[in-house]
Amino acid sequence: MILVTGASGKVGSEAARLLGAEQQPTRALVRDASRAPLAGVETVTGDFDRPDTLDAAMRGVETVILVSPAVPAQEIAVIAGAVRQGVQHIVKITSKASADSPVERRRGQAQIEEYLLAAGVSYTLLRANAYMQNILALAPMIKQSGGFVMSAGDGQVGMIDARDVAATAVKVAVSPEAHVGRTYWLTGPDLITYDDVAKELSDALGRTVEYRRTTPAEHRAAMLQAGVPESVATSNAQAFGLIAEGDAAWLSGEVASVTGTAPRPLRTFIADHVAAFT
Ligand SMILES: NC(=O)c1ccc[n+]([C@@H]2O[C@H](COP(=O)([O-])OP(=O)(O)OC[C@H]3O[C@@H](n4cnc5c(N)ncnc54)[C@H](OP(=O)(O)O)[C@@H]3O)[C@@H](O)[C@H]2O)c1
């Protein structure tokens, strides 16, 4: 049995869908049962803040695909529950984790990874570059104003479709033996700037979509004004500032080497989601 946490989210929902389609015995953990009506998949409700629900969800599970907002106390609770329940392998979705990063989220990921490595359960780390799905958050602004505000400058990003992160996680979870203790760096096929995003959106929509550059400080203020929680706005603005400096300009071939299939380019992502921008 494979348990997918965060099964209503970007990676978790696709991982559960793929496992269901492959008829792998799968349990999808969500906190709201109405969020995950997945064919061929057992749904279990649970909350990362309630260890009793995690233990119940992990009974009889061999492998966990661990996706969460990466709050250290929450993911550590999931890992502890997995160890208690005799889970054999954890596939952890992570990012460019670093204990001395200026970005709180990355320090949190480093803390979780450190706990996982010492927990005595076998693991695989999937360190993903930024998701193309983040572009969907720009849709309301694009619909309203014909463009988007962003503080990533001309920084390139090895942006990946979250569906390819999910496909990689599924491949590992179904046959973990070859991936024990491995770390894979996951990216899309191309280095993309936000000018490229604007151009691809313009081509798909048949009208100009503008990329309006702003500074990380102004961007943070705008996110706060739009109701984004302070810690998220701060981490996002820091991450975009780092992107402007080249921090996300990395590519790898590891999606294809694990799954046997090339990751989706930006054009495919936008074609598949064009309705969100119209
Ligand atoms: N976004 C990126 O660009 C990116 C890039 C690289 C790596 N990552 C990593 O990917 C991971 C997930 O990020 P994401 O952006 O994919 O997140 P996401 O799509 O928002 O998924 C988070 C999931 O966690 C669930 N969740 C939140 N709080 C919960 C709780 N207390 N109990 C149970 N479930 C809860 C959410 O459920 P609800 O639907 O109920 O909220 C959702 O299903 C993180 O480790 C992140 O660092 C993200």
Side-chain angles (χ1 to χ4, degrees), residues 1-3 19-20 22-27 40-42 62-63:
M1 174 72 79
I2 297 171
L3 177 75
L19 287 163
E22 280 187 28
Q23 300 185 333
Q24 296 286 345
T26 301
R27 199 174 287 160
V41 172
E42 181 187 326
E62 282 150 20
T63 301

Side-chain angles (χ1 to χ4, degrees), residues 165-256:
V165 178
T168 310
V170 163
K171 255 306 193 253
V172 173
V174 168
S175 301
E177 308 76 29
H179 308 288
V180 170
R182 302 285 305 269
T183 297
Y184 298 111
W185 294 81
L186 305 183
T187 75
D190 303 304
L191 290 175
I192 294 162
T193 65
Y194 277 88
D195 269 330
D196 297 327
V197 172
K199 184 178 178 316
E200 289 290 350
L201 283 168
S202 302
D203 288 352
L205 295 172
R207 58 180 163 82
T208 302
V209 173
E210 268 183 7
Y211 168 24
R212 303 179 189 121
R213 289 166 168 72
T214 188
T215 63
E218 285 167 356
H219 196 184
R220 178 177 176 277
M223 286 189 273
L224 289 175
Q225 204 170 13
V228 175
E230 187 168 2
S231 65
V232 178
T234 302
S235 275
N236 283 353
Q238 284 172 328
F240 288 124
L242 287 171
I243 285 175
E245 293 166 14
D247 173 78
W250 49 277
L251 287 179
S252 87
E254 297 200 314
V255 169

Side-chain angles (χ1 to χ4, degrees), residues 5-13 29-32 35 45-50 53-54 66-71 74-75 92-96 105-106 109 112 126-134 159-160 162 165 186 250:
T5 71
S8 56
K10 295 182 267 294
V11 169
S13 61
L29 180 93
V30 290
R31 50 179 169 178
D32 170 359
R35 295 285 312 278
T45 51
D47 194 308
F48 299 140
D49 288 322
R50 290 191 43 212
T53 64
L54 302 176
L66 177 52
V67 197
S68 87
V71 174
Q74 292 183 340
E75 272 204 34
K92 169 164 168 52
I93 309 301
T94 181
S95 59
K96 203 172 175 184
R105 241 189 333 245
R106 294 186 183 176
Q109 291 284 26
I112 297 163
L126 301 185
R127 290 213 170 119
N129 210 322
Y131 298 163
M132 292 177 187
Q133 276 72 4
N134 297 342
M159 220 180 268
I160 182 165
V165 178
L186 305 183
W250 49 277

